[in-house]
């Protein structure tokens, strides 16, 4: 359910419309018309109430209708899941107390929530993070800002998502906090709320400050615009607006219709956020590292050759050993000259990173690299100066160590960024699904097409009618108003087979129209569209941290200082051992002294122990896993959901819409008196139409249309005093007679006698897994209706496969015991919990958790939401309600039970890969550090030179990312491919 408008400035734009309503109430009298507009503007107010006692959407609907009947109510939205109501009203007609009394009059408890603030969220790209220590530092810096509710920083994608109170802190302050921590910050997007959109426009032409002010005022005057921001000194205008009311095409029309003297027209287009996108940023980073590596190779290759190769070639060796000054030779000068630009120009990034890290009181990978390379370089510089000033100094330089170390680390970062870019390919593919252009149809008052034009796809607005030709992508979400075709929705839902579309069917933006022409009326645009929500969901999932990642975060806090300590300890131990002659001099290579040998061991330890791979182990696997899930129609909301899903031992299934198709149909009717069937269904439909959100009610109303002449828009008698009795049925007064429609318990509770033939009909329905519904008029039972909801095609097979995976399946349903047991027998479920209200479903989940189970709940309705939240993992069927999807941890887009198995199997495979990543990351360190420290040297004379240690450190990060990338080859369990989809047939009596 959408939330109410969060910004009260919207009220000022609605004043003119409101005054028209006031004049209608006043019967056209002039008193209200003549009132000053500001009286109503100042009176507008918003109230938020907490409501206790709502159990389903019918309750929420009753509350909403009661509130809207009050005078002075502009809008009201009731959320049954969160037990809240938001009301926009005018106190000159109604106050909070009157609203509260109205809610309580219809049977619910209500209390006013004071100081309700709208929260905002923004995403920020962060440049300069090198390891998990950096991401933890940024996270702490953001969370310390007053007004920040929570912050998630993802090293793998170098982004942060921050939820904050806009009344206490702004996005500019958040950017400032990140930059003060030593990193570059770029604002990607700000999310204002479900009912607010933001767009940036670029203006071209000759304009002045005065003309910009006129444009600003013109835009602010548009109905639905909440705020207009002008970026002074630029050609950018940002507009905050309600997409239900207006859109970007209107803004461009207003701007371009504004003429300023002789300057002519101003041209407006949608502002291109060049360079800010993740893909362009990643490509820029790849090019930067590639260029740096090539330059480092140009200088490092000769350094390596003069130190390691040419010294063994007669003739060339003599030339390199030629003394220039005292003991300083040509080879040392060449290595010094070539290594210096690598150390101070190409390696400058490590100095900058080290300075920023140390300034904020922490240490990261840059600190380790800077310390290691500087130790090698400046010791080598010392040997050069000593050789130039001493006639008998015999020293060895390590210029090749520092140059090769920097080159290998830059190569490793290049390969890492290259691989990391592939982990987010799923998002890039999803974002590219939206077509760049759309065909907009112009219609006359009678709905006839009068013309068409091709427009930018970003200019589509709600209620537009667009034309989708064969082979083209659907430009936006909507429903078909003309034509028929087949649409391939596999790119969104993962469903391979094309779906037939005809008048009234919904279509999803980004899907492919295959063979027919469709006219589609747009219902959702921008951030509201299914594609945008899926992209947002996957992005949020990649930003969210899995609990297992906390291990890496905790290790990183202490790892770098410990590495520095271990490095210094290694150098000191070998240096003292050499000075005190604790090992034979024959151990020391002929070209070195004991100090140089100790220095190499110390540098190797410092470099090989960098924790980069540790920080990438979890997020890269989660990124690939969630991306693969999205491509298969399984939307996983982050690492926490993945981690919990792989531990699931018990799954609780709802029945209607989950195990069954969720589209009940009337299969049998029995009139128990002489009433005509048309009259019978007219009264029953009139009673149930108020409750038409319920699947059983919808089935009865649809069936009743058969007995009406106008089956498209039938007129039903008015139902008064409607009451929904959760889990039992409904009652109302229709044409002066009291009608009850519901189960046996409802009739018994109200003293309605149930004859034997009705009991037999109920028993027969239960045996056939049908729902038996009784109808009484004025306290007498008059009819019986049997409703059948067919099982989903592979329900039995899915439950069988789950058993083979050692997962217990149970059924938790609000339906009667007989129907529930019959369905359970058909699918192979042994444990059933029937006639359960929403809170009882949640209690059952908690009971299973108390028994030691890790519980997943699979459901599709509002009444499943409490259980979805209570479960360790909530799985919502994609065709279910928005509230159920919002409450769930995993959304199954195809509404297929086989995707429950896919979700659990994918989570198990992903966490298996995370464990393997930790083996790679920790294995490099646990094995590499002792070897680098010289543990094997006394026995094998094997030592790890610093440049090889640097290569090993770079290889660890690359191997972890590549290990995660192997998840892209994930295939769902083979047993699912062998399932046969049978045709469902429903027989009506």
């Amino acid at each position: 359910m959408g939330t109410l408008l969060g910004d009260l400035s919207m009220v000022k734009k609605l004043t003119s419309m409101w005054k028209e309503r006031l004049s209608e109430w006043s019967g056209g009298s002039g008193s209200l018309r003549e009132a000053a507009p500001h009286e109503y503007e100042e009176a507008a107010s918003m109230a938020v109430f907490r409501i206790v006692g709502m159990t389903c959407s019918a309750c929420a609907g009753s509350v909403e209708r009661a509130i809207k009947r009050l005078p002075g109510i502009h809008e009201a939205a009731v959320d049954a899941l969160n037990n809240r109501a938001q009301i926009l009203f005018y106190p000159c007609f109604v106050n909070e107390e009157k609203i509260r009394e109205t809610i309580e009059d219809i049977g619910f408890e209500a209390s006013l929530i004071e100081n309700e603030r709208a929260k905002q969220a923004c995403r920020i790209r962060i440049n300069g993070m090198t390891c998990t220590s950096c991401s933890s530092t940024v996270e702490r810096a953001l969370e310390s800002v007053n007004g920040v509710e929570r912050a998630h920083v993802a090293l793998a994608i170098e982004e942060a998502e921050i939820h904050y109170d806009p009344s206490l802190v702004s996005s500019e302050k958040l950017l400032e906090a990140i930059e003060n921590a030593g990193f570059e910050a770029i604002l990607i997007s700000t999310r204002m709320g479900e009912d607010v959109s933001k767009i940036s426009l670029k203006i071209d032409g000759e304009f002045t400050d005065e003309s910009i002010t006129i444009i600003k005022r013109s835009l602010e005057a548009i109905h639905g615009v909440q705020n207009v921001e002008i970026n002074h000194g630029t050609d950018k205008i940002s507009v905050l607006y309600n997409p239900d009311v207006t859109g970007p095409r209107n803004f461009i029309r207003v701007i371009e219709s504004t003429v300023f003297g002789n300057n002519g027209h101003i041209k407006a287009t949608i502002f291109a956020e060049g360079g800010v996108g993740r893909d362009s940023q990643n490509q820029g980073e790849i090019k930067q590292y590639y260029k740096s590596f090539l330059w480092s190779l140009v200088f490092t290759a000769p350094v390596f050759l003069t130190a390691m190769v040419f010294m063994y070639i007669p003739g060339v060796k003599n030339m390199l050993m030629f003394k220039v000054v005292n003991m300083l030779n040509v080879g040392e000068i060449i290595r010094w000259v070539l290594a210096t630009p690598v150390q101070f120009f190409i390696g400058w990034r490590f100095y900058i990173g080290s300075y920023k890290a140390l300034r904020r009181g922490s240490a990261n990978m840059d600190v380790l690299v800077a310390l290691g390379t500087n130790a090698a370089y400046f010791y080598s510089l010392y040997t050069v100066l000593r050789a130039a000033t001493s006639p008998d100094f015999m020293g060895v330089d390590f210029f090749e160590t520092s140059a090769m170390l920097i080159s290998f680390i830059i190569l490793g970062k290049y390969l890492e960024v290259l691989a990391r870019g592939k982990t987010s390919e799923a998002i890039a593919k999803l974002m590219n699904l939206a077509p760049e252009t759309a065909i907009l149809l112009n219609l006359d008052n009678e709905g006839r097409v009068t013309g068409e034009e091709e427009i930018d796809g970003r200019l589509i607005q709600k209620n537009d009618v667009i034309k989708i030709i064969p082979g083209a992508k659907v430009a936006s979400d909507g429903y078909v108003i003309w034509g028929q075709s087949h649409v391939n929705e596999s790119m969104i839902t993962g469903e391979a087979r094309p779906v037939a579309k005809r008048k009234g069917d919904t279509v999803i933006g980004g899907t492919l129209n295959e063979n027919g022409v469709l006219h589609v009326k747009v219902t959702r645009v921008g951030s509201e569209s299914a594609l945008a929500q899926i992209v947002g969901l996957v992005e949020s999932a990649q930003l969210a941290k899995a609990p297992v990642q906390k291990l890496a975060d905790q290790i990183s806090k202490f790892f770098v200082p410990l590495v520095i300590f271990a490095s210094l300890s290694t150098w000191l131990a070998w240096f003292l051992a050499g000075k005190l002659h604790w090992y034979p001099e024959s151990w020391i290579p002929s070209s070195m002294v004991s100090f140089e040998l100790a220095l190499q061991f110390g540098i190797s330890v410092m470099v090989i122990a960098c924790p980069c791979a540790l920080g990438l182990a979890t997020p890269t696997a989660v990124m690939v896993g969630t991306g693969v899930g999205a491509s298969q129609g399984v939307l996983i909301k982050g690492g926490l959901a993945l981690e919990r899903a792989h531990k699931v031992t018990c799954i609780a299934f709802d029945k209607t819409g989950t195990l069954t198709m969720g589209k009940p149909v009337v299969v049998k009717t029995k009139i128990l008196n002489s009433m005509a069937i048309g009259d019978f269904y007219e009264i029953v439909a009139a009673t149930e139409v108020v409750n038409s959100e319920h699947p059983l009610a919808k089935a009865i109303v649809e069936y009743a249309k058969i007995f009406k002449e106008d089956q498209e828009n039938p007129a039903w008698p008015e139902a008064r005093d409607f009451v929904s009795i959760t889990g039992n049925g409904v009652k109302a007064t229709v044409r002066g007679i009291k009608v009850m429609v519901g189960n046996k318990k409802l009739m018994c509770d109200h003293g309605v006698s149930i004859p034997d033939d009705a009991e037999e009909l109920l028993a027969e329905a239960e045996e056939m897994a049908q729902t038996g519904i009784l109808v009484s008029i004025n306290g007498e039972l008059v009819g019986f209706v049997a409703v059948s909801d067919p099982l989903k095609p592979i329900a039995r097979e899915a439950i069988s496969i789950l058993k083979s995976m050692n997962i217990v399946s149970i059924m938790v349903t609000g339906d009667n015991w007989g129907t529930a047991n019959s369905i359970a027998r058909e699918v192979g479920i042994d444990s059933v919990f029937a006639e359960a209200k929403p809170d009882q479903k949640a209690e059952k989940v908690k009971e299973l958790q108390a028994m030691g189970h890790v519980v997943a709940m699979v459901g599709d309705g509002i009444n499943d939401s409490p259980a979805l939240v209570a479960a360790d993992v909530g799985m919502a069927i994609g065709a279910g309600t928005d509230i159920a999807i919002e409450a769930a941890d995993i959304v199954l887009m195809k509404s297929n039970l086989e995707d429950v198995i896919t979700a659990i199997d994918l989570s198990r495979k992903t966490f298996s890969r995370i464990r393997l990543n930790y083996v790679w990351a920790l294995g490099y360190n646990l094995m590499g550090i002792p070897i680098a420290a010289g543990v094997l040297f006394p026995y094998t004379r094997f030592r790890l030179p610093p440049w090889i240690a640097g290569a090993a450190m770079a290889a660890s990060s690359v191997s972890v990312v590549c290990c995660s990338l192997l998840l892209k080859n994930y295939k769902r369990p083979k047993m699912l491919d062998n399932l046969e989809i049978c045709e469902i047939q429903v027989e009506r009596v």
Side-chain angles (χ1 to χ4, degrees):
M1 180 179 294
T3 56
L4 201 59
L5 298 176
D7 189 348
L8 289 181
S9 63
M10 178 65 183
V11 176
K12 297 182 179 181
K13 312 298 184 302
L14 301 176
T15 303
S16 59
M17 180 183 71
W18 180 241
K19 285 176 65 180
E20 291 177 9
R21 293 188 181 182
L22 294 178
S23 65
E24 291 173 8
W25 291 344
S26 64
S29 62
S31 58
L32 283 173
R33 288 179 182 164
E34 293 166 5
H38 70 267
E39 292 179 13
Y40 302 106
E41 291 180 22
E42 293 174 356
S45 185
M46 177 186 284
V48 182
F49 290 87
R50 179 174 289 108
I51 302 175
V52 178
M54 294 190 297
T55 57
C56 63
S57 58
C59 300
S62 300
V63 173
E64 199 167 294
R65 285 189 295 275
I67 294 170
K68 286 181 176 179
R69 280 197 286 264
L70 291 170
I73 299 294
H74 171 64
E75 190 55 88
V78 182
D79 183 348
L81 177 62
N82 296 308
N83 296 314
R84 285 155 49 103
Q86 287 182 303
I87 300 109
L88 190 65
F89 67 100
Y90 285 83
C92 53
F93 292 97
V94 68
N95 56 30
E96 291 96 336
E97 183 60 25
K98 180 63 176 175
I99 296 171
R100 188 189 63 78
E101 289 176 358
T102 301
I103 297 171
E104 292 190 342
D105 285 345
I106 59 173
F108 301 97
E109 293 180 23
S111 58
L112 183 67
I113 301 175
E114 300 288 348
N115 301 323
E116 182 72 15
R117 292 194 181 111
K119 295 291 187 294
Q120 290 187 8
C122 68
R123 284 176 53 243
I124 297 174
R125 175 160 290 108
I126 303 171
N127 295 330
M129 295 191 298
T130 56
C131 63
T132 188
S133 175
C134 299
S135 60
S136 298
T137 300
V138 176
E139 211 162 83
R140 288 194 297 272
L142 287 168
E143 288 175 346
S144 66
V145 177
N146 182 35
V148 171
E149 190 176 281
R150 63 182 183 275
H152 298 298
V153 180
L155 172 66
I157 56 176
E158 297 181 319
E159 289 182 11
E161 183 176 70
I162 304 108
H163 295 256
Y164 61 97
D165 186 341
S167 65
L168 298 176
V169 66
S170 64
S171 56
E172 288 77 15
K173 287 288 184 184
L174 299 175
L175 295 173
E176 187 180 326
I178 295 170
E179 288 169 356
N180 287 341
F183 301 91
E184 182 188 354
I186 304 170
L187 182 66
I188 300 173
S189 63
T190 303
R191 190 166 66 250
M192 304 293 179
E194 294 179 4
D195 54 352
V196 181
S197 294
K198 186 176 184 179
I199 193 168
S200 296
L201 302 172
K202 182 178 184 293
I203 54 173
D204 294 312
E206 297 182 10
F207 50 85
T208 63
D209 290 342
E210 183 182 355
S211 59
I212 290 294
T213 302
I214 294 172
I215 289 175
K216 184 175 186 291
R217 289 175 179 170
S218 301
L219 290 172
E220 287 175 337
I222 298 174
H223 180 49
V225 171
Q226 296 189 18
N227 188 38
V228 179
E229 296 176 2
I230 304 293
N231 290 35
H232 295 286
T234 70
D235 53 0
K236 181 179 176 182
I237 296 178
S238 298
V239 184
L240 199 68
Y241 65 99
N242 180 359
D244 289 327
V245 180
T246 187
R249 218 163 54 248
N250 294 341
F251 309 150
I252 290 174
R253 190 180 297 118
V254 167
I255 293 171
E256 293 184 346
S257 64
T258 306
V259 183
F260 306 104
N262 298 322
N263 292 335
H265 292 275
I266 288 179
K267 183 75 175 173
T269 55
I270 292 181
F271 193 86
E273 304 285 352
V276 177
R278 180 187 295 177
D279 187 57
S280 60
Q281 179 76 16
N282 189 64
Q283 290 301 319
E285 205 173 359
I286 289 172
K287 288 179 182 177
Q288 187 181 21
Y289 276 115
Y290 180 69
K291 186 178 178 182
S292 296
F293 173 67
L294 288 182
W295 276 109
S296 68
L297 202 60
V298 168
F299 291 102
T300 301
V303 173
F304 173 77
L305 291 172
T306 57
M308 301 290 184
V309 179
F310 294 159
M311 296 303 290
Y312 300 97
I313 302 175
V316 179
K317 177 183 178 180
N318 294 335
M319 185 180 69
L320 293 174
M321 294 300 292
F322 179 78
K323 303 293 188 295
V324 178
V325 179
N326 289 327
M327 298 300 292
L328 179 64
N329 59 49
V330 172
E332 288 175 328
I333 294 174
I334 292 174
R335 289 191 290 275
W336 178 26
V337 170
L338 293 175
T340 299
V342 178
Q343 181 70 38
F344 296 108
F345 292 96
I346 296 171
W348 183 247
R349 68 177 70 245
F350 302 114
Y351 287 99
I352 295 293
S354 300
Y355 167 73
K356 290 178 177 179
L358 294 172
R359 191 184 68 176
R360 60 180 181 263
S362 63
N364 60 6
M365 183 200 81
D366 292 331
V367 173
L368 295 179
V369 174
L371 284 173
T373 57
N374 276 307
Y377 178 86
F378 284 105
Y379 176 76
S380 302
L381 182 60
Y382 163 76
T383 62
V384 167
L385 296 176
R386 280 294 305 275
T389 57
S390 173
D392 56 1
F393 177 78
M394 296 292 290
V396 178
D397 66 87
F398 294 150
F399 285 121
E400 79 285 351
T401 294
S402 65
M404 291 176 69
L405 196 52
I406 288 173
S407 297
F408 272 112
I409 290 170
I410 289 176
L411 173 62
K413 291 298 290 182
Y414 165 71
L415 295 174
E416 179 190 319
V417 172
L418 198 65
R420 265 166 44 189
K422 295 183 182 298
T423 63
S424 56
E425 279 184 355
I427 288 182
K429 287 179 180 177
L430 284 169
M431 295 179 76
N432 291 333
L433 288 177
E436 294 182 359
T437 61
I439 301 174
L440 177 68
L441 296 179
N442 301 316
L443 308 178
D444 59 19
N445 294 333
E446 296 181 2
R448 291 190 296 263
V449 178
T450 59
E452 61 182 55
E453 59 177 314
E454 189 173 60
I455 62 170
D456 188 316
R458 295 170 296 179
L459 296 178
I460 297 174
Q461 299 177 185
K462 278 191 179 179
N463 298 319
D464 281 346
V465 176
I466 55 176
K467 178 181 178 182
I468 315 296
I469 60 176
K473 290 180 180 178
V474 178
S476 193
D477 294 3
Y479 62 91
V480 178
I481 61 172
W482 180 87
Q484 58 183 16
S485 179
H486 285 82
V487 176
N488 187 336
E489 298 182 343
S490 60
M491 58 281 293
I492 299 292
T493 66
E495 181 61 62
R497 291 170 299 177
V499 181
K501 300 291 182 181
R502 54 182 61 85
K503 185 177 179 180
D505 290 340
T506 58
V507 291
I508 305 172
T511 55
L512 184 65
N513 182 29
E514 293 202 337
N515 47 29
V517 177
L518 297 175
H519 291 180
V520 174
K521 187 164 188 177
V522 176
T523 56
R524 295 193 295 185
V525 295
S527 60
E528 292 183 335
S529 69
L531 182 58
Q533 289 180 358
I534 291 171
V535 170
L537 198 61
V538 177
E539 285 181 331
S540 296
Q542 294 182 351
L543 279 162
K545 289 185 179 179
V548 71
Q549 192 176 338
K550 293 177 182 177
L551 172 64
D553 293 344
Q554 290 299 319
I555 292 174
S556 69
K557 288 181 183 178
F558 311 103
F559 201 79
V560 175
L562 286 173
V563 167
I564 295 172
F565 175 77
S567 175
L568 292 174
S569 300
T570 301
W571 169 79
L572 186 62
W574 278 102
F575 176 69
L576 291 175
K579 286 296 181 183
L580 299 173
H581 305 290
W582 289 351
Y583 60 82
E585 289 188 8
S586 61
W587 286 13
I588 304 173
S590 58
S591 60
M592 291 186 185
V593 295
S594 61
F595 175 84
E596 294 165 349
L597 180 65
L599 184 63
Q600 279 209 349
F601 282 131
I603 294 173
S604 295
V605 169
M606 187 174 293
V607 173
I608 202 169
C610 182
C612 293
L614 199 63
L616 294 169
T618 299
T620 53
V622 170
M623 285 175 68
V624 179
T626 52
V628 168
S631 68
Q632 303 242 356
V634 178
L635 301 182
I636 304 169
K637 298 183 181 179
L640 179 59
L642 266 175
E643 184 163 345
R644 287 176 174 173
H646 92 282
K647 299 176 182 176
V648 166
T649 59
C650 176
I651 299 183
F653 289 94
D654 175 45
K655 181 181 74 69
T656 306
T658 304
L659 291 172
T660 63
M661 296 298 293
K663 296 179 179 178
V665 291
V666 174
V667 294
K668 185 174 184 178
T669 306
K670 188 73 173 178
I671 309 296
L672 303 178
N673 62 9
S674 58
M675 180 181 282
I677 191 168
D679 297 336
F680 172 80
Y681 268 108
E682 184 173 48
I683 292 173
V684 174
T687 306
E688 288 283 21
V689 75
V690 183
N691 192 37
S692 60
E693 290 182 14
H694 194 284
L696 297 179
K698 189 179 294 184
I700 291 174
V701 172
E702 285 298 314
Y703 187 70
K705 290 179 181 179
I706 296 172
F707 306 102
K708 284 285 189 178
E709 291 182 7
D710 185 2
Q711 294 187 14
E712 288 291 327
N713 299 294
W716 307 109
E718 183 182 0
R720 298 178 179 273
D721 305 322
F722 175 85
V723 178
S724 174
I725 302 163
T726 306
N728 291 333
V730 297
K731 60 180 183 177
T733 302
V734 179
R735 290 177 176 166
I737 57 177
K738 294 181 179 179
V739 184
M740 285 195 298
V741 182
N743 58 18
K744 181 179 177 181
K745 186 175 185 304
L746 177 69
M747 300 302 159
C748 293
D749 289 348
H750 289 78
V752 178
S753 176
I754 302 175
D756 292 341
D757 53 348
E759 292 278 11
E760 290 175 6
L761 289 169
L762 285 171
E764 181 185 333
E766 289 181 3
E767 286 177 10
M768 299 177 66
Q770 298 169 354
T771 301
I773 298 172
L774 301 174
V775 180
S776 73
I777 294 178
N778 291 331
E780 180 186 352
L781 198 68
V782 298
F784 166 84
V785 177
V787 178
S788 175
D789 188 6
L791 273 179
K792 285 189 173 174
I794 63 161
R796 176 188 289 276
E797 290 83 352
I799 299 301
S800 176
I801 292 171
L802 287 171
K803 282 183 180 178
S804 70
M805 297 170 69
N806 296 318
I807 295 174
V808 177
S809 298
I810 72 166
M811 183 195 293
V812 182
T813 177
D815 210 339
N816 64 74
W817 281 98
T819 304
N821 283 323
S822 180
I823 291 288
R825 282 194 301 272
E826 280 194 58
V827 299
I829 290 177
D830 299 322
S831 181
V832 179
F833 185 64
E835 297 181 8
K837 294 180 180 179
D839 57 331
Q840 292 172 329
K841 289 186 178 184
E843 287 300 320
K844 184 63 179 177
V845 167
K846 292 174 184 176
E847 182 184 319
L848 291 166
Q849 290 169 331
M851 294 166 61
H853 284 294
V854 177
V855 182
M857 173 70 194
V858 185
D860 74 321
I862 291 175
N863 59 335
D864 297 322
S865 299
L868 289 170
V869 173
D872 296 286
V873 181
M875 296 187 186
I877 297 295
T881 65
D882 290 341
I883 291 177
I885 291 171
E886 184 67 28
D889 301 299
I890 297 175
V891 180
L892 311 177
M893 292 291 291
K894 289 182 285 187
S895 300
N896 289 343
L897 286 176
E898 62 193 78
D899 286 341
V900 174
I901 299 163
T902 301
I904 293 174
D905 184 68
L906 177 59
S907 70
R908 290 179 176 180
K909 292 283 196 326
T910 302
F911 260 78
S912 172
R913 199 51 51 99
I914 288 173
R915 292 189 191 99
L916 186 58
N917 282 348
Y918 275 115
V919 169
W920 276 110
L922 293 173
Y924 270 99
N925 286 327
L926 294 176
M927 294 178 62
I929 290 175
I931 295 172
V935 169
L936 300 179
F937 186 72
Y939 312 102
T940 63
R941 303 296 181 273
F942 176 80
R943 59 191 173 89
L944 205 62
W947 63 272
I948 294 180
M953 183 272 287
S956 68
S957 296
V958 175
S959 63
V960 162
V961 177
C962 290
C963 185
S964 295
L965 282 173
L966 290 175
L967 269 173
K968 295 182 74 173
N969 300 322
Y970 170 82
K971 302 293 183 186
R972 68 180 194 164
K974 287 184 179 180
M975 58 189 84
L976 293 179
D977 297 328
N978 299 327
L979 297 180
E980 293 183 3
I981 305 299
C982 57
E983 187 178 348
I984 299 169
Q985 294 182 344
V986 178
E987 217 175 287
R988 283 181 174 168
V989 180

